[in-house]
């Protein structure tokens, strides 16, 4: 039971012809009370406390002498958040698992989005899987023996939106066969990093920067650029294409109107 909660020790199926008394020792000691129940005072020291009950019939103690009743007085300690170990950041749409722990055996945990009061968003679990849409602070309290810790431990998950797909000029570059093409990001943001690829997803960046000059173009070649923000959130990729002109320098007929 909690240190600040009154506990009552009671007997199951007491005998009406027997007088019961409660003691602080297996023999001798101080009598604490009498009757079929005993209300343990609040404010007891933490740890195990043993109380004894004795049955007396017609002035004679029973053959079993005093029976021991052990009470564990507990006070939940504030939880530790072990994963992640500090405030963290995610991109919008991503998830993160929070995990709490306690040095106290049998402790469970309740999770909230408020520092006090409120309704748990998850109860009696050491982990919680969250996908916040905005920056959110989560709080966890320890539950033990029917009571909870005095304080809740906070952890903030910062949510960052991905950048918009970059605008690039030109979207199609016509070059003399074998010549290079150059593409440029329109109104680049200095806080963003622009990476260029040869594939729509995955792959290894072939260039980093706001402008990209290709290899010599011999056939239609498609390239992609994405924007990465400092939080590691990545925009959709923008597609551009470099095309060689016909031998006579004209646009191939399949492009002519």
């Amino acid at each position: 039971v909690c240190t600040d909660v009154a506990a009552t020790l009671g007997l199951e199926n007491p005998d009406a012809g027997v007088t019961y008394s409660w003691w602080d020792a297996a023999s001798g000691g101080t009598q604490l009370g009498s009757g079929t129940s005993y209300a343990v005072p609040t404010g007891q020291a933490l740890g195990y406390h043993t109380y004894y009950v004795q049955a007396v019939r017609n002035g004679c103690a029973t053959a079993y002498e005093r029976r021991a009743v052990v009470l564990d007085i507990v006070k939940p300690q504030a939880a530790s958040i072990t994963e992640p170990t500090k405030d963290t950041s995610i991109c919008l749409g991503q998830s993160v698992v929070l995990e709490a722990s306690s040095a106290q055996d049998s402790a469970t945990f309740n999770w909230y989005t408020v520092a006090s009061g409120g309704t748990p968003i998850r109860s009696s679990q050491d982990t919680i899987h969250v996908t916040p849409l905005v920056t959110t602070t989560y709080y966890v309290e320890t539950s033990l023996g029917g009571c909870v810790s005095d304080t809740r431990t906070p952890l903030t998950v910062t949510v960052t939106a991905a950048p918009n797909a970059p605008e690039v000029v030109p979207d199609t570059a016509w070059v003399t066969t074998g010549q290079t093409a150059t593409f440029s990001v329109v109104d680049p943001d200095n806080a963003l990093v622009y990476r260029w690829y040869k594939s729509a997803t995955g792959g290894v960046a072939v260039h980093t920067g706001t402008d990209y000059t290709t290899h010599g173009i011999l056939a239609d070649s498609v390239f992609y650029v994405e924007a990465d923000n400092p939080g590691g959130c990545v925009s959709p990729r923008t597609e551009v294409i470099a095309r060689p002109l016909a031998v006579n320098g004209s646009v191939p007929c399949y492009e002519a109107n």
Side-chain angles (χ1 to χ4, degrees):
V1 296
C2 305
T3 183
D4 55 354
V5 174
T8 299
L9 308 179
L11 303 174
E12 291 186 356
N13 303 316
D15 190 329
V18 173
T19 299
Y20 299 94
S21 56
W22 299 83
W23 302 78
D24 63 359
S27 62
T30 301
Q31 182 175 345
L32 303 173
S34 60
T36 57
S37 63
Y38 169 61
V40 179
T42 59
Q44 299 292 304
L46 300 180
Y48 292 100
H49 296 258
T50 304
Y51 302 90
Y52 301 87
V53 60
Q54 185 174 48
V56 177
R57 185 189 296 275
N58 297 325
C60 299
T62 62
Y64 295 104
E65 299 301 330
R66 296 177 184 174
R67 294 288 188 89
V69 179
V70 179
L71 192 64
D72 185 14
I73 306 295
V74 298
K75 184 175 181 63
Q77 301 171 2
S80 298
I81 297 180
T82 54
E83 184 62 36
T85 56
K86 59 182 180 180
D87 292 346
T88 191
S89 297
I90 62 172
C91 300
L92 182 64
Q94 292 182 335
S95 300
V96 63
V97 175
L98 311 183
E99 182 174 2
S101 67
S102 171
Q104 295 174 295
D105 293 338
S106 303
T108 60
F109 306 94
N110 302 319
W111 298 87
Y112 297 81
T113 54
V114 291
S116 62
T119 301
I121 57 174
R122 187 169 174 83
S123 300
S124 303
Q125 300 292 330
D126 58 356
T127 60
I128 184 172
H129 183 279
V130 296
T131 310
L133 299 178
V134 296
T135 297
T136 303
T137 299
Y138 296 91
Y139 301 85
V140 60
E141 67 184 12
T142 305
S143 176
L144 183 65
C147 51
V148 298
S149 53
D150 291 338
T151 59
R152 296 174 183 171
T153 303
L155 186 138
T156 299
V157 178
T158 299
V159 179
T160 303
N164 295 324
E167 181 183 354
V168 181
V169 293
D171 56 0
T172 301
W174 292 97
V175 297
T176 301
T177 299
Q179 297 301 303
T180 62
T182 298
F183 298 96
S184 299
V185 174
V186 177
D187 295 328
D189 186 335
N190 291 333
L192 303 178
V193 176
Y194 298 90
R195 306 185 196 278
W196 300 80
Y197 297 83
K198 292 184 177 180
S199 56
T201 59
V204 177
V206 297
H207 179 70
T208 299
T210 58
D211 303 303
Y212 173 50
T213 299
T214 71
H215 53 73
I217 300 300
L218 301 177
D220 286 359
S221 301
V222 180
F223 304 94
Y224 303 86
V225 61
E226 69 183 20
D228 302 3
N229 67 23
C233 304
V234 181
S235 74
R237 292 181 183 178
T238 298
E239 177 184 293
V240 295
I241 186 169
R243 285 177 165 170
L245 293 167
V247 175
N248 61 5
S250 62
V251 175
C253 60
Y254 65 81
E255 287 293 335
N257 294 320

